[in-house]
């Protein structure tokens, strides 16, 4: 199971812009999204905005940065 934790200046989640948030991705699926309150070990910083989108089948959500799927 591959887990990746990324943070960005903004996260666009269901049309809401969330400042300074962390997104946890497991096997290409978003499992968590929470405010960044302090530096967290093993968290990758991405400048700009991460967009969380519902996938076509609606079964899960994926995260995108600069138009590319985050895995």
């Amino acid at each position: 199971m591959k887990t990746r934790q990324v943070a960005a200046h903004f996260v666009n989640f269901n049309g809401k812009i969330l400042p300074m948030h962390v997104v946890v991705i497991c096997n290409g699926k978003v499992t968590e999204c929470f405010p960044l309150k302090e530096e967290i070990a093993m968290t990758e910083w991405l400048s700009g905005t991460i967009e969380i989108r519902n996938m076509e089948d609606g079964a899960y959500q994926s995260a995108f940065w600069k138009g590319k799927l985050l895995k």
Side-chain angles (χ1 to χ4, degrees), residues 19-22 33-38 40:
M20 302 293 286
H21 266 61
V22 177
C33 180
F34 57 90
L36 177 65
K37 296 184 180 191
E38 60 185 34
I40 303 171

Side-chain angles (χ1 to χ4, degrees), residues 2 5-6 8 11-12 17 22 26 32 38 40 43-44 48 55 58 61-62 64 66 69-70:
K2 181 181 175 187
Q5 193 162 276
V6 295
V11 172
N12 183 341
I17 303 299
V22 177
C26 185
E32 289 183 73
E38 60 185 34
I40 303 171
T43 301
E44 180 182 353
M55 297 312 290
Q61 296 171 318
S62 289
F64 294 80
K66 295 186 176 183
L69 178 65
L70 296 174

